[in-house]
């Protein structure tokens, strides 16, 4: 049994490769081989062929589109933040062998070719939309392996600082920076199900329905219960109503105000006596209706000393 565990195992995406552990022969990016194997077993290649279109002609097609996309993605996984390292990585054994047979000998893409791929080919409207489809279909394959009947969705925005006059960038007072302000939707495992790049000065909840509602519909068609979580930026009556119409349970933080504090006044008095080494936490559940709400909703207050 021990001998079998120490034997190298076969890879399905490239039968000529075997993973083994020998101290005398190592590569700094060898871990990408295992990522490539997962990529193969989840069918990423088929998804790329299905969704992405290649508008190149003639000699420009010497490097397959799938190889270019893999090189772009895998270099980021390995910690190379931009295409400046492509010149060296083009001859790296790992980056050559994770691609198709066409680049095993000739090498991966150089900096100029990879840059053109990222800024022109992927930026085409059709491919831009297709990348989102590939991402969602890939996660769906993983979900099918470990199917759950209760899906928890989390929505949040983030900051992408920019420098210079980047198109659609704007100053955001909350982040105190010139930035983009993308919106993202995650599952509880941390997988990004969908995202939208937005100007830096939009509200955190802008375009929430474009991302959230299609995902709710997708999950409910599969017979799954959907639960939604978000912070106070998404405390909007239209979001509550959309979730309630679809039977989605939710937990959304709401900003404090005088009316809420009046309803929990008895919890706001600090306990008498020497503080304990453990925090004192009190909860209160009650019905509350803000002026902009059409109906009362259950609110849970948490006070901690």
């Amino acid at each position: 049994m021990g001998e079998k565990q120490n034997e190298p195992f076969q890879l399905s995406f490239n039968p000529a490769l075997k993973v083994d552990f020998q101290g005398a022969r190592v590569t700094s990016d060898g871990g990408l081989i295992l990522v490539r194997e997962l990529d193969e077993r989840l069918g990423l290649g088929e998804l790329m062929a299905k969704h992405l279109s290649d508008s190149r002609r003639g000699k420009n097609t010497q490097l397959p589109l799938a190889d270019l996309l893999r090189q772009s993605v895998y270099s980021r996984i390995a910690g190379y933040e931009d295409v400046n390292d492509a010149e060296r990585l083009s001859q790296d054994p790992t980056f050559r062998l994770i691609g198709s047979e066409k680049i095993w000998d000739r090498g991966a893409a150089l900096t100029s070719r990879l840059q053109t791929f990222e800024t022109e080919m992927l930026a085409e409207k059709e491919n831009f939309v297709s990348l989102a489809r590939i991402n969602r279909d890939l996660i769906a394959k993983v979900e099918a392996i470990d199917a759950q009947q209760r899906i928890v969705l989390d929505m949040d925005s983030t900051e992408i600082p920019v420098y210079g006059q980047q198109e659609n960038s704007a100053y955001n007072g909350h982040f105190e920076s010139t930035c983009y302000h993308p919106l993202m939707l995650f599952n509880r495992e941390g997988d990004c199900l969908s995202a939208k790049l937005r100007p830096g000065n939009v509200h955190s909840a802008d375009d929430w329905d474009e991302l959230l509602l299609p995902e709710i519909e997708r999950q409910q068609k599969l017979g799954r219960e959907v639960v939604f979580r978000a912070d106070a930026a998404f405390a909007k009556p239209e979001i509550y109503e959309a979730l309630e119409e679809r039977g989605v349970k939710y937990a959304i933080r709401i900003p404090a105000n005088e009316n809420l504090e009046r309803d929990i006044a008895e919890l706001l008095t600090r306990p008498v006596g020497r503080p304990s080494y453990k925090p004192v936490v009190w909860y209160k559940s009650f019905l509350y209706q803000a002026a902009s709400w059409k109906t009362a909703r259950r609110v849970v207050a948490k006070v901690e000393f």
Side-chain angles (χ1 to χ4, degrees), residues 174-187:
H174 175 75
F175 297 116
E176 298 183 348
S177 71
T178 300
C179 62
Y180 292 117
H181 191 192
L183 181 67
M184 293 175 289
L185 182 68
F186 300 90
N187 61 21

Side-chain angles (χ1 to χ4, degrees), residues 127-241:
N127 282 336
F128 193 72
V129 174
S130 295
L131 285 173
R133 293 183 182 136
I134 290 173
N135 176 74
R136 191 61 193 85
D137 287 355
L138 194 62
I139 294 173
K141 287 176 176 286
V142 178
E143 291 175 337
I145 295 172
D146 183 22
Q148 300 180 11
Q149 289 305 306
R150 191 170 190 260
I151 303 297
V152 180
L153 302 177
D154 291 277
M155 179 169 278
D156 203 355
S157 63
T158 190
E159 168 204 22
I160 302 180
V162 300
Y163 306 94
Q165 301 299 317
Q166 300 291 340
E167 184 180 3
N168 287 330
S169 63
Y171 182 78
N172 186 297
H174 175 75
F175 297 116
E176 298 183 348
S177 71
T178 300
C179 62
Y180 292 117
H181 191 192
L183 181 67
M184 293 175 289
L185 182 68
F186 300 90
N187 61 21
R188 63 179 164 190
E189 284 75 31
D191 301 316
C192 183
L193 304 177
S194 57
K196 182 173 183 178
L197 186 64
R198 306 176 302 175
N201 57 356
V202 302
H203 187 272
S204 295
D206 277 15
D207 305 317
W208 63 271
D209 51 334
E210 290 185 28
L211 272 60
L212 181 58
L213 300 187
E215 185 61 30
I216 291 174
E217 182 179 357
R218 171 197 290 267
Q219 297 293 352
Q220 290 183 335
K221 281 183 177 179
L222 296 172
R224 295 169 181 161
E225 178 190 8
V226 181
V227 178
F228 179 70
R229 301 183 297 197
D231 63 21
F234 299 87
K236 292 178 168 290
E238 58 267 32
I239 297 180
Y240 305 151
E241 292 167 6

Side-chain angles (χ1 to χ4, degrees), residues 282-301:
W282 290 332
Y283 296 92
K284 182 178 180 181
S285 173
F286 56 96
L287 287 178
Y288 171 79
Q289 183 172 354
S292 60
W293 297 2
K294 297 178 181 178
T295 184
R297 294 182 172 92
R298 179 173 175 255
V299 173
V300 177

Side-chain angles (χ1 to χ4, degrees), residues 45-63:
E46 288 81 358
L47 291 176
M48 287 190 284
K50 175 182 176 182
H51 292 295
L52 294 179
S53 61
D54 192 344
S55 58
R56 297 173 298 167
R57 297 291 184 271
K59 293 183 179 180
N60 288 332
T61 61
Q62 289 179 349
L63 286 170

Side-chain angles (χ1 to χ4, degrees), residues 6-147:
N6 291 327
E7 291 179 359
F9 61 87
Q10 197 84 21
L11 294 161
S12 56
F13 78 91
N14 185 347
L17 281 175
K18 291 183 179 180
V19 175
D20 200 355
F21 299 95
Q22 298 181 21
R25 295 190 297 174
V26 297
T27 173
S28 60
D29 292 320
L32 293 179
I33 295 293
L34 299 180
V35 180
R36 177 65 178 85
E37 179 67 7
L38 178 62
D39 157 349
E40 184 73 13
R41 299 197 180 197
L42 290 177
L44 178 58
E46 288 81 358
L47 291 176
M48 287 190 284
K50 175 182 176 182
H51 292 295
L52 294 179
S53 61
D54 192 344
S55 58
R56 297 173 298 167
R57 297 291 184 271
K59 293 183 179 180
N60 288 332
T61 61
Q62 289 179 349
L63 286 170
L65 187 147
D67 285 339
L68 290 168
L69 183 57
R70 284 194 171 99
Q71 183 178 347
S72 175
V73 172
Y74 280 43
S75 61
R76 268 68 173 193
I77 293 175
Y80 305 105
E81 295 183 356
D82 50 42
V83 299
N84 294 333
D85 295 289
E87 202 82 21
R88 177 173 61 83
L89 296 177
S90 67
Q91 296 304 315
D92 181 271
T94 297
F95 278 86
R96 285 166 49 205
L97 293 171
I98 62 177
S100 66
E101 192 171 352
K102 285 187 176 183
I103 67 170
W104 290 355
D105 295 324
R106 66 170 306 214
L110 299 177
T111 298
S112 58
R113 181 63 59 83
L114 193 60
Q115 187 173 37
T116 300
F117 168 74
E118 293 185 355
T119 59
E120 296 181 14
M121 290 183 61
L122 283 187
E124 293 175 3
K125 184 176 181 180
E126 184 178 349
N127 282 336
F128 193 72
V129 174
S130 295
L131 285 173
R133 293 183 182 136
I134 290 173
N135 176 74
R136 191 61 193 85
D137 287 355
L138 194 62
I139 294 173
K141 287 176 176 286
V142 178
E143 291 175 337
I145 295 172
D146 183 22

